[in-house]
Amino acid sequence: MEWDWDFAWSIMPTLLAGFRITLIATFLGAIVAAVLGLVFAILRRSSNRWLSRGTSFVVEFIRGTPLLVQLYFIFYVLPDLGLRLPALMAGVIGMGLHYATYAAEVYRGGIESVPRGQWEAARATNLTTRQTWLHVILPQAVPPMIPAMANYLLAMFKETPLLSAITVLELMNQAKSVANSSYRYVEPMTLVGVMFLIVSLLSVIALRWLERRYGRVSQ
Amino acid sequence: MDQPIIRIQNLQKSFGTLTVIDGLNFDVAKGEKLALIGPSGSGKTTILRILMTLEGISGGRIEICGEPLYHMQRNGAEVPADEAHLHRMRRYIGMVFQHFNLFPHKSVLQNITLAPMLTKGETRAAADKRARELLDMVGLADKAGYMPSQLSGGQKQRVAIARALALQPQIMLFDEVTSALDPELVEEVLEVMKRLAAETDMTMLLVTHEMGFAHDFADRVLFFDRGRIVEQGPPKQIFTAPAEDRTKSFLRKIIAAGQRV
């Protein structure tokens, strides 16, 4: 086994194209997870028992099944039911949905960290439910959950290779196709590892900073 | 007597199997200053919380300014109030809490202007102007830009009073507003309330353990025990010549604890 610098350089454009898709998938997945997670968290708190229990059931169901299975389901099974999604979109929805259930827990922790007195003060000053969330609860609940959220974002980033299973041309998939056509695995797989490592290390540094800045919220 | 501003009829409140208020009746006249005293667990704080709609009721009826608080008319029948009705009724009422409950992420000024701007559509300029007048009234004109965490407990509570006043309620509820304060900070809050009582015709309900203050402040004192009014009357009568044994024994304990009555 020998490292071939020329080969490594020659596959870089392909890998970087895949890396770009990886970053896009992570970014869009994070948005889906953040928005949907908040919806889950709020629905779970609903005073309507059917709504809160139904949401809890969906959340547990999603969390109790592997992401890979969910991705297969969205990409390969839904078309049989008449819903055909582009691979990247299926991947973003799958990852976003999966991580939304974790984000919902973080939101819950953050929301519950706001003292009951704040809800009561909001009511005593006659704010509507929407105003209470927007102006009183969320501004206090969000900062302490930033480190935990960033943690899940990093975890999701590292799970994007799963998207190669549903034909998304992200970094791992590009590396596999390069390897399969050239019969060389050392360079592509090493480079994939290095790219993930660089982003992860930078993220860890950013995370430490966020934790110092906002503190940690227990989940 | 004019129509009472608060009318409570056969009020019931239980938490699970625990009954905290059992068939309570009383009226409050417009402008009246009422002190609610009694041992802890006697239901006096619960009454304020029910009036502020922080707790629902289990039975009975409350009227504020002649309108039912927890009931509304629909198709000629009286039905339980919905959130929109409660929202409308809350305009009549303001509350100051034992633990202040200021919004910690907002400045002193923003704490006061938030609700008037959001719920009454006041402009920032109008809300700011009024907030500064109120801060002046509670002696904190120089603290408008401070965050709540930079204030002492007594200052926080004075801001909380200003916040409640900014909505111009007709009824103010004070729930043990000095209980969480260091002793040397109690007086500054009581001063503000005395001034408020003297200068406005607001109806005020006060739950307190400060018997001296209740004596000076109130037009009428209600002594509660186990969710019922045991005895009521002018402060002089309740504090110097109570008729009921339970009132006497309560006051004896308070005096033994070193309070002036």
Side-chain angles (χ1 to χ4, degrees):
Chain A
M1 186 184 84
E2 202 177 290
W3 180 267
D4 182 344
W5 280 107
D6 290 338
F7 177 63
W9 276 118
S10 73
I11 62 171
M12 273 306 260
T14 314
L15 294 185
L16 285 175
F19 192 54
R20 196 174 138 260
I21 300 295
T22 293
L23 292 178
I24 290 173
T26 307
F27 179 71
L28 295 179
I31 291 174
V32 173
V35 173
L36 213 55
L38 183 59
V39 173
F40 283 155
I42 290 175
L43 288 182
R44 259 185 139 169
R45 289 181 61 92
S46 166
S47 51
N48 181 333
R49 262 201 2 221
W50 291 108
L51 209 55
S52 60
R53 284 197 185 167
T55 309
S56 289
F57 178 77
V58 170
V59 165
E60 290 308 325
F61 180 80
I62 294 173
R63 208 181 311 184
T65 50
L67 176 55
L68 188 57
V69 175
Q70 291 161 10
L71 290 172
Y72 265 80
F73 200 87
I74 293 168
F75 189 63
Y76 292 111
V77 179
L78 284 188
D80 292 345
L81 305 171
L83 184 62
R84 190 174 300 280
L85 295 170
L88 181 60
M89 194 194 280
V92 165
I93 291 172
M95 280 202 315
L97 196 62
H98 193 82
Y99 276 89
T101 63
Y102 293 102
E105 277 303 297
V106 179
Y107 281 120
R108 195 174 65 96
I111 290 165
E112 283 176 4
S113 74
V114 178
R116 201 179 58 157
Q118 293 293 307
W119 292 91
E120 296 184 346
R123 180 169 285 199
T125 50
N126 210 6
L127 304 190
T128 63
T129 306
R130 193 176 145 274
Q131 290 166 342
T132 302
W133 277 107
L134 229 53
H135 296 276
V136 177
I137 304 304
L138 289 179
Q140 295 181 66
V142 168
M145 48 181 145
I146 285 174
M149 282 296 185
N151 222 343
Y152 279 124
L153 176 67
L154 184 57
M156 187 170 76
F157 169 68
K158 286 188 292 186
E159 291 230 87
T160 51
L162 287 176
L163 299 185
S164 65
I166 58 166
T167 78
V168 177
L169 288 174
E170 46 68 68
L171 180 57
M172 187 64 185
N173 210 357
Q174 295 285 20
K176 269 199 297 194
S177 70
V178 166
N180 288 339
S181 59
S182 65
Y183 301 104
R184 291 192 65 93
Y185 281 84
V186 184
E187 292 85 359
M189 291 308 148
T190 307
L191 288 171
V192 167
V194 168
M195 285 183 190
F196 271 101
L197 189 63
I198 289 170
V199 174
S200 294
L201 288 177
L202 290 176
S203 306
V204 167
I205 293 168
L207 196 60
R208 292 284 166 274
W209 183 81
L210 286 174
E211 277 173 2
R212 272 201 310 276
R213 175 92 171 68
Y214 294 110
R216 196 191 275 271
V217 64
S218 56
Q219 300 156 38
Chain B
M1 178 171 148
D2 292 340
Q3 179 194 45
I5 194 165
I6 302 173
R7 164 157 280 180
I8 295 178
Q9 292 171 316
N10 195 26
L11 181 67
Q12 312 273 343
K13 176 67 183 175
S14 358
F15 295 102
T17 56
L18 178 72
T19 301
V20 274
I21 293 171
D22 190 10
L24 181 68
N25 295 286
F26 69 90
D27 287 355
V28 184
K30 186 163 169 42
E32 200 176 7
K33 318 289 182 238
L34 212 61
L36 282 58
I37 64 167
S40 53
S42 60
K44 51 201 195 307
T45 285
T46 304
I47 292 162
L48 296 197
R49 292 174 58 80
I50 287 173
L51 287 171
M52 193 66 256
T53 72
L54 302 175
E55 309 278 359
I57 59 175
S58 308
R61 187 182 168 83
I62 297 175
E63 282 176 18
I64 306 286
C65 302
E67 290 181 71
L69 178 61
Y70 282 103
H71 302 83
M72 55 191 260
Q73 294 290 327
R74 182 174 284 162
N75 303 329
E78 197 161 81
V79 296
D82 60 13
E83 179 54 34
H85 177 83
L86 293 177
H87 183 71
R88 205 170 57 74
M89 293 303 290
R90 271 182 219 124
R91 288 174 316 164
Y92 294 118
I93 309 164
M95 183 162 181
V96 183
F97 298 90
Q98 181 179 1
H99 296 287
F100 334 128
N101 298 349
L102 293 181
F103 304 131
H105 58 300
K106 304 247 177 231
S107 71
V108 165
L109 193 73
Q110 289 167 335
N111 260 279
I112 302 171
T113 58
L114 181 72
M117 286 168 64
L118 288 176
T119 66
K120 294 183 143 183
E122 281 185 24
T123 62
R124 179 177 299 278
D128 273 7
K129 181 167 174 291
R130 187 163 166 70
R132 286 181 196 280
E133 287 167 8
L134 287 167
L135 281 175
D136 195 39
M137 198 221 32
V138 299
L140 294 171
D142 55 333
K143 300 281 192 264
Y146 281 51
M147 297 305 282
S149 58
Q150 297 170 292
L151 303 181
S152 74
Q155 291 170 333
K156 282 182 197 169
Q157 196 58 296
R158 286 185 280 154
V159 173
I161 292 172
R163 176 176 69 179
L165 290 173
L167 289 161
Q168 297 170 289
Q170 304 199 20
I171 302 164
M172 278 279 275
L173 311 172
F174 296 91
D175 183 18
E176 300 191 25
V177 293
T178 56
S179 302
L181 298 177
D182 292 334
E184 74 272 19
L185 301 177
V186 168
E187 202 51 44
E188 65 187 57
V189 173
L190 297 184
E191 275 307 317
V192 167
M193 291 169 65
K194 266 181 218 162
R195 191 141 19 103
L196 208 57
E199 291 173 7
T200 71
D201 62 348
M202 228 182 292
T203 308
M204 298 164 106
L205 271 69
L206 169 81
V207 167
T208 188
H209 291 120
E210 297 276 338
M211 295 306 145
F213 184 68
H215 180 276
D216 300 343
F217 169 93
D219 302 320
R220 180 158 56 118
V221 176
L222 271 56
F223 175 70
F224 278 83
D225 196 18
R226 287 170 225 168
R228 291 169 171 278
I229 298 172
V230 175
E231 185 169 3
Q232 58 172 306
K236 192 166 253 168
Q237 178 196 323
I238 297 291
F239 289 120
T240 57
E244 299 290 329
D245 286 343
R246 273 191 280 173
T247 320
K248 286 177 196 161
S249 102
F250 173 75
L251 290 173
R252 245 196 323 273
K253 279 180 207 151
I254 290 277
I255 292 165
Q259 265 204 41
R260 174 188 75 91
V261 168

